[in-house]
Amino acid sequence: TSFQLVAGDSLTVTLPGVDPYAAYTLTTSGFAAGETSHTHNCADPVLTVTAQCDWPVVFTVTNGSGAGTMLSSQDYTIEDSLGNIVASGNFNLPAGGTYDIPLTGLDPYDTYTFASDDYAGTLDLTHHCDRPNLAMSGLCVSPVEFTITNTGGKMLLPQDITVTGPSGNVTPSVS
C-alpha cells in the first residue's frame, strides 16, 4: 500500500479486526522528511469479575485503577446450573470503572457461570452459595414452642412462617 498527500492533507490508516491493545508500528519509506515510523501501544485493561452470596446475586466486573481504558465493548453471558443463559450483554469500562450485573428474581443458591472473552481479556467465574438446610423440632411445653435451625448455608432471603392449629392459622411470636 502506498500514499501521496498534498500539502495540508492527512491520511487515516485503520486496522480493522485486530487486537487494539497490541503494539503496531507504522513505517513509511521514500523521500519525504519528518517522522517515518510511529509505534502504537495502548495500555491493556486489567479486568476482574467477582460475585457475593447476597440477594440478589450480583456479578461485578472491574477494570483496575492503573489499567488502560477499554477501547471497545466486550460481551458476556451468565448461565445457570442447567446451562440456560440467564443474563447477557456487554460492558465497556474506563480505568477504575465497575459494572454490576444483578440476577434479580433468580434462585440465589443456584450455580451461575460468568463468561467473557475478547481483546480486553478472558473472564470466567463460577459462583455458588450454599443452600440453607432447615431442621424443625417442637417441644411439648406451654406455650407451644417450635425451633427452626439452619444447618446449611446463610439464608439470603426471609421465609414466611405459618402455624396452623385446630381453629385455623395462629399468629406466632418469633424470638
Side-chain angles (χ1 to χ4, degrees):
T1 302
S2 63
F3 69 99
Q4 185 173 356
L5 299 173
V6 298
D9 265 1
S10 63
L11 171 72
T12 300
V13 178
T14 58
L15 305 175
V18 300
D19 180 350
Y21 307 105
Y24 299 95
T25 300
L26 173 71
T27 305
T28 66
S29 59
F31 297 105
E35 186 178 12
T36 58
S37 179
H38 182 80
T39 299
H40 169 284
N41 191 7
C42 297
D44 291 340
V46 179
L47 301 177
T48 57
V49 61
T50 59
Q52 303 295 323
C53 285
D54 209 348
W55 172 255
V57 172
V58 176
F59 283 87
T60 301
V61 181
T62 303
N63 187 9
S65 61
T69 293
M70 290 181 68
L71 302 175
S72 62
S73 295
Q74 184 158 315
D75 294 336
Y76 70 86
T77 59
I78 300 174
E79 294 183 355
D80 65 13
S81 60
L82 299 175
N84 299 311
I85 295 175
V86 297
S88 63
N90 61 62
F91 56 91
N92 191 340
L93 298 171
T98 61
Y99 180 68
D100 289 336
I101 307 155
L103 302 184
T104 306
L106 298 176
D107 178 358
Y109 308 107
D110 198 357
T111 298
Y112 297 100
T113 302
F114 179 98
S116 180
D117 184 25
D118 208 340
Y119 295 120
T122 299
L123 298 172
D124 288 300
L125 177 67
T126 299
H127 176 72
H128 174 78
C129 300
D130 290 336
R131 191 171 296 279
N133 185 29
L134 303 180
M136 297 184 197
S137 62
L139 295 176
C140 292
V141 295
S142 181
V144 173
E145 187 175 290
F146 293 94
T147 300
I148 304 170
T149 303
N150 180 5
T151 61
K154 173 184 170 186
M155 289 183 72
L156 303 175
L157 292 167
Q159 285 193 201
D160 293 333
I161 296 173
T162 302
V163 179
T164 306
S167 302
N169 288 352
V170 178
T171 304
S173 170
V174 179
S175 60

